[in-house]
Amino acid sequence: MEENQSAKNIRIAKNTFFLYLRMFLMMGISLYTSRIVLSTLGEVDYGLYNVVGGIVTMFTFVNFAMTCATNRYLSFELGKNNIENVNKVFSTSIIIHVVIAIFIFLLGETIGLWFLNTQMTIPADRMVAANWIYQLSILSCMVMIVSVPYNAIIISDENVRMKSSSGGIFSLLAKIVIEQDGVVFGVRFDNEWNVIHDYIDKEEDLDHFCGSKYVQSHIGNAFSQVRSYLQAGRMVLFSGTPCQVAGLYKYLRKDYGNLVTVDFVCHGVPSQKVWQSYLNYELKMKQGQTGEGEFKSFKKISFRNKTNGWKKYNIELIFSDSQRYMQYFAENPYMIGFINNLYLRPSCYHCAFRSFRSHSNFTLADFWGVENIHPEIDDDKGVSVLFVNDNNAYVEKLLNRISYKKVSFDDVVLGNRSIVSSYDCPQYRHLFFKKLSLGFDFNLSILKPNLFDRVMMKIERTFQNKC
């Protein structure tokens, strides 16, 4: 925790430095361009440009305030997934801003025009130019005000997108199913921060399923619940790992026209034991105690916080006292072990369901490497890859609601090896689990073999792989 705080302090100092550097750079550019504009226009025209054209600048703060206010209401309704209210707020916002724009137009074309032509000291030969600048400024101001609702809805949609691990395709597919009185199965945290399969049939509950959870989920009785809803005639969307989707098909033993399945390109999954050991360690560091079984001491957990971007995401823990712990994924003990395949489930090292062998309808993935292939769509907020594995009824419905580009399979595989191949089992894996069972702290030291471990592994190389 101390190392993380030190890293955060360094990051804050760097950000502050670059902000001041940006400020001085912008100041220098502004001073330089002002000299050029003054030299080009001359003293009189430069004065007209600043005084008359300054109307737009004067209303910039109003535009910012109105965008924030509108965004607040839109974000609230989008967060509740209440599309009907989103439409109402958006429509009302447009009407309000059109009325404001008309009011400014009337005010500008009466009092403003009178003030410009009778009260301001403007050379007679520049009066026509001054009026042209004034009219264009009024027009720009009106366009700026009317565009506020559209700017706000873009910002609000981005806020919802930021909750998703990549591009938010799963959430959209889930909404389409729920709109048809369907049921959506996905994974969420329980009260003890275990990862479990559950179902929802209301859009306001969809947030529980958003975001990646790098833990093997407890499937419970989800398969039997899926079958019950299918037999009752309700549309069902089931999401899970490729092996879970394949398992569902085996359990059902027949095809259902009202079942839609979606899996994802799976790196592999750690066990609940590893995950809870990590949480125990974080609680121990936070509380100065073992924290055994006290996982309610967390208020929120996110594996993919995109505050610093999609590619440099953080793992985020918010404790019950609202203290926030956030760490870059490449520096976090749990994520380091996960990415280096240290504690995936044994079956993950020779997965039988890669290369779309689960027979799901859709497969989702992060489009890693998109910046090298389609940089124009990479804003570092997340881009999804959608594999359409069959021509089902939901393909057109989904594609009509998203912006997409068709890409080659080879381009996607370049940044997603997990699509076609499993990872090798690290020789150190069984020693890691032995240390974990002996109560070693889940810090960086447990993730790497020490000298004794290396000697033991060298001796064991002639024996059968422990995985």
Side-chain angles (χ1 to χ4, degrees), residues 115-173:
F115 187 83
L116 174 69
N117 287 284
T118 63
Q119 302 301 309
M120 294 186 68
T121 304
I122 300 173
D125 61 332
R126 305 310 297 155
M127 187 60 72
V128 174
N131 276 274
W132 270 108
I133 294 172
Y134 179 76
Q135 295 298 333
L136 291 173
S137 297
I138 292 292
L139 179 62
S140 298
C141 187
M142 290 176 64
V143 170
M144 185 172 62
I145 290 172
V146 172
S147 67
V148 163
Y150 299 94
N151 294 332
I153 194 71
I154 290 171
I155 294 170
S156 298
D157 278 334
E158 289 301 306
N159 290 340
V160 174
R161 182 179 164 205
M162 288 292 283
K163 294 180 182 178
S164 303
S165 295
S166 51
I169 296 295
F170 168 74
S171 295
L172 183 54
L173 186 58

Side-chain angles (χ1 to χ4, degrees), residues 205-240:
D205 296 327
L206 190 54
D207 277 357
H208 295 302
F209 291 168
C210 288
S212 297
K213 298 168 182 68
Y214 299 123
V215 188
Q216 182 181 34
S217 68
H218 177 61
I219 203 73
N221 59 350
F223 286 177
S224 63
Q225 291 172 329
V226 168
R227 184 171 61 185
S228 296
Y229 281 116
L230 290 172
Q231 291 175 344
R234 294 186 70 176
M235 182 62 64
V236 174
L237 170 65
F238 180 88
S239 64

Side-chain angles (χ1 to χ4, degrees), residues 6 45 68 73 148 159 173 178-179 188 198 221 224 236 250 265 292 305 316 322 327 333 336 354 358 404 407 439 452:
S6 176
D45 285 348
C68 290
Y73 287 101
V148 163
N159 290 340
L173 186 58
I178 291 174
E179 286 168 5
R188 66 172 180 85
D198 201 355
N221 59 350
S224 63
V236 174
K250 287 286 186 181
V265 172
E292 191 71 35
N305 179 289
E316 177 188 37
S322 297
Q327 190 173 31
I336 290 173
R354 297 194 189 276
S358 71
Y404 66 94
V407 296
F452 177 76

Side-chain angles (χ1 to χ4, degrees), residues 155-322:
I155 294 170
S156 298
D157 278 334
E158 289 301 306
N159 290 340
V160 174
R161 182 179 164 205
M162 288 292 283
K163 294 180 182 178
S164 303
S165 295
S166 51
I169 296 295
F170 168 74
S171 295
L172 183 54
L173 186 58
K175 289 177 184 179
I176 292 173
V177 171
I178 291 174
E179 286 168 5
Q180 300 184 32
D181 194 32
V183 182
V184 176
F185 283 78
V187 294
R188 66 172 180 85
F189 290 114
D190 67 9
N191 292 333
E192 294 183 345
W193 299 101
N194 297 304
V195 177
I196 62 170
H197 252 83
D198 201 355
Y199 68 90
I200 60 170
D201 57 7
K202 297 178 181 177
E203 287 189 12
E204 53 263 34
D205 296 327
L206 190 54
D207 277 357
H208 295 302
F209 291 168
C210 288
S212 297
K213 298 168 182 68
Y214 299 123
V215 188
Q216 182 181 34
S217 68
H218 177 61
I219 203 73
N221 59 350
F223 286 177
S224 63
Q225 291 172 329
V226 168
R227 184 171 61 185
S228 296
Y229 281 116
L230 290 172
Q231 291 175 344
R234 294 186 70 176
M235 182 62 64
V236 174
L237 170 65
F238 180 88
S239 64
T241 60
C243 57
Q244 288 172 332
V245 170
L248 174 64
Y249 283 133
K250 287 286 186 181
Y251 177 85
L252 295 175
R253 296 186 179 181
K254 61 175 289 190
D255 293 333
Y256 286 88
N258 51 335
L259 172 64
V260 180
T261 56
V262 55
D263 62 7
F264 51 88
V265 172
C266 182
H267 180 94
V269 289
S271 68
Q272 300 274 2
K273 176 183 178 181
V274 175
W275 170 237
Q276 292 191 11
S277 296
Y278 167 70
L279 292 182
N280 267 328
Y281 169 71
E282 292 295 357
L283 281 173
K284 180 180 178 180
M285 297 299 292
K286 169 69 169 65
Q287 301 172 342
Q289 60 188 32
T290 62
E292 191 71 35
E294 296 181 2
F295 298 123
K296 292 181 181 179
S297 294
F298 296 101
K299 287 175 65 176
K300 178 186 175 184
I301 294 176
S302 172
F303 284 96
R304 294 276 293 274
N305 179 289
K306 294 191 283 189
T307 301
N308 295 331
W310 170 52
K311 303 180 192 71
K312 294 185 177 181
Y313 61 87
N314 299 293
I315 187 168
E316 177 188 37
L317 307 174
I318 299 181
F319 295 92
S320 55
D321 61 358
S322 297

Side-chain angles (χ1 to χ4, degrees), residues 341-404:
N341 318 308
L342 181 58
Y343 35 72
L344 307 182
R345 304 297 293 156
S347 58
C348 295
Y349 298 107
H350 41 83
C351 178
F353 302 103
R354 297 194 189 276
S355 300
F356 313 102
R357 294 192 185 99
S358 71
H359 303 295
S360 62
N361 299 118
F362 299 99
T363 299
L364 302 177
D366 292 281
F367 196 170
W368 299 124
V370 65
E371 67 276 10
N372 302 317
I373 301 165
H374 287 293
E376 72 278 6
I377 63 174
D378 176 33
D379 58 3
D380 203 26
K381 294 179 182 177
V383 179
S384 294
V385 177
L386 172 67
F387 295 95
V388 180
N389 301 328
D390 63 8
N391 191 21
N392 61 77
Y394 283 87
V395 174
E396 186 175 352
K397 294 178 182 178
L398 185 59
L399 295 183
N400 285 338
R401 296 199 187 187
I402 62 175
S403 299
Y404 66 94

